[in-house]
Amino acid sequence: MPLDSKQCEAFLAVAEAGSFEQAATALHLTPSAVSLRVRALESGLGQPLLVRGRPCRATRAGRQLLQHLQRARLMERELLADLTDGGDGAAFSPLTLAVNADSLATWLLPALAPALQRERIALELIVDDQEHTHALLEAGLAHACISAQPDAMRGCAAELLGTMRYRLVASPAFVQEWFARGVTRAAARRAPAVVFNRKDALHAEALRRIHGLQASAYPCHHVPASEPFVAAVRCGLGYGMVPELQIEGAIESGELVDVLPEAATDVSLFWHGWQQQPPRLERLARSAMAAARRAL
C-alpha cells in the first residue's frame, strides 16, 4: 500500500520528539489524533513502529521508516531550496552529525569547514563516545556519524576515515608521585585515572590487557569534555588516554610522559551515512572523508 502522508507526518513527529504530546503540539493536533494516525500506519504496515514509553522509541521497522522519511524530507528541502532561490545554493540544508569528542576537539571542524561553507549546510553536532555514535544514526537521531564501528547497518554505507592513536600519559610530577618505580600492577591500583565518562573504555581495556585490572580496581576522575580532560592530565589530577593529535610535541618536550608505551591504542574511525542522500550531503561526506584521511 502507498504510505499515507499525514500518518507518516505523525509518526515522524513522535519518533523525533519522543512523545505523542510534543508531536501533537508541533502538528497543532490533539495527542489522540496523533495516536490514531500512528496506529493506522502501524495497522497498514502490519507491525508496530513505536515502543510507547517515556520517551517513545522506534522499533526496528520504525527505524527503517524513520530513516526513509528523514531522507525524503532532506531531499525535498534541497529541491525546494534550489527551485525557490534560483539554484544559486544560498539556502542552507540541515545536517545532524553524531561524533566523538576527540574528533571534534582535533581534526573535524577544520576538515568540514570548507565543504560546509561551499555546500551551504547548517550543522548540528551530537557528541557521544565513538562506540555509541552508531546507535544515534540507527535511531534516526543523526543523518551521519563518525564511529569506531566498521559495519554499516542496512541502507547505509561505512567508509574508513583513518586511525586515532591514544597514548597513556601523565605529568612529570604525577609520575614522580605515583609511578616512580613504573606503572606496576600495585601502582596502577592506587593511582587515580582520568577517564572521559563511564562509556569510555580505552583506559580500562589497556589496564585489563596489561595488568588484568578491572575498572573498579582503581580510582577514577570523570571529565566528560575533551579539552578539560587533557587539562586534568596536564595539571596532575591523574593519568589518562589522550589522542596524539591533542598533545603534539608534549611528550618530546617533557611536558607529558608516556607512562606505559605498550598501552598505546589505535582506534579506527568510520564515516557512516545513508546510501541514498541529497547531493549536498553526499559532497560533504566526500570532502570530509578526504580531509580526514589527510589529518589522521
Side-chain angles (χ1 to χ4, degrees), residues 95 97 107-116 118-119 123 144-146 159-162 271 280-296:
L95 170 68
L97 177 65
W107 63 270
L108 180 68
L109 292 180
L112 289 183
L116 289 171
R118 182 176 64 251
E119 300 295 342
L123 182 66
C145 75
I146 293 169
E159 294 200 41
L160 178 66
L161 294 170
W271 179 283
R280 287 187 193 181
L281 303 190
E282 176 65 25
R283 292 193 295 267
L284 173 70
R286 293 295 161 196
S287 297
M289 284 182 241
R293 287 165 184 160
R294 291 191 296 269
L296 295 174

Side-chain angles (χ1 to χ4, degrees), residues 93-99 116 121-127 141-144:
S93 295
L95 170 68
T96 302
L97 177 65
V99 61
L116 289 171
I121 291 175
L123 182 66
E124 178 181 358
L125 294 171
I126 304 177
V127 180
L141 299 176
H143 302 123

Side-chain angles (χ1 to χ4, degrees), residues 28-247:
H28 304 290
L29 296 170
T30 64
S32 60
V34 173
S35 179
L36 286 172
R37 291 183 182 183
V38 173
R39 288 191 181 279
L41 182 60
E42 291 176 319
S43 177
L45 294 175
Q47 54 190 308
L49 299 173
L50 291 168
V51 177
R52 274 70 171 172
R54 295 186 179 274
C56 293
R57 294 181 292 106
T59 64
R60 182 180 179 85
R63 290 194 296 269
Q64 289 180 267
L65 178 59
L66 177 60
Q67 291 161 16
H68 166 77
L69 295 175
Q70 289 177 329
R71 285 198 298 270
R73 181 175 60 188
L74 277 175
M75 290 180 177
E76 180 179 301
R77 285 176 177 173
E78 184 159 323
L79 173 63
L80 290 174
D82 288 343
L83 291 174
T84 55
D85 69 12
D88 63 3
F92 278 74
S93 295
L95 170 68
T96 302
L97 177 65
V99 61
N100 60 311
D102 291 333
S103 288
L104 180 58
T106 53
W107 63 270
L108 180 68
L109 292 180
L112 289 183
L116 289 171
Q117 296 174 47
R118 182 176 64 251
E119 300 295 342
R120 296 293 189 265
I121 291 175
L123 182 66
E124 178 181 358
L125 294 171
I126 304 177
V127 180
D128 206 337
D129 185 84
Q130 61 264 13
E131 297 289 345
H132 296 269
T133 51
H134 188 261
L136 297 170
L137 176 63
E138 186 178 21
L141 299 176
H143 302 123
C145 75
I146 293 169
S147 171
Q149 295 293 329
D151 298 325
M153 64 184 183
R154 185 176 179 182
C156 291
E159 294 200 41
L160 178 66
L161 294 170
T163 300
M164 291 190 77
R165 168 157 285 200
Y166 289 76
R167 297 172 73 174
L168 191 56
V169 299
S171 69
F174 185 90
V175 172
Q176 184 177 357
E177 180 177 359
W178 295 98
F179 297 142
R181 297 183 180 180
V183 186
T184 64
R185 191 175 193 275
R189 288 176 62 90
R190 296 191 303 269
V194 180
V195 177
F196 190 83
N197 59 24
R198 297 187 186 279
K199 295 179 181 179
D200 179 10
L202 285 176
H203 195 114
E205 288 175 359
L207 290 191
R208 186 181 302 114
R209 171 169 51 88
I210 296 168
H211 288 311
L213 291 175
Q214 299 299 315
S216 58
Y218 46 88
C220 286
H221 300 289
H222 293 91
V223 185
S226 194
E227 289 86 353
F229 179 97
V230 178
V233 173
R234 288 182 184 273
C235 72
L237 193 63
Y239 71 120
M241 296 287 281
V242 179
E244 280 188 343
L245 284 174
Q246 269 187 294
I247 54 169

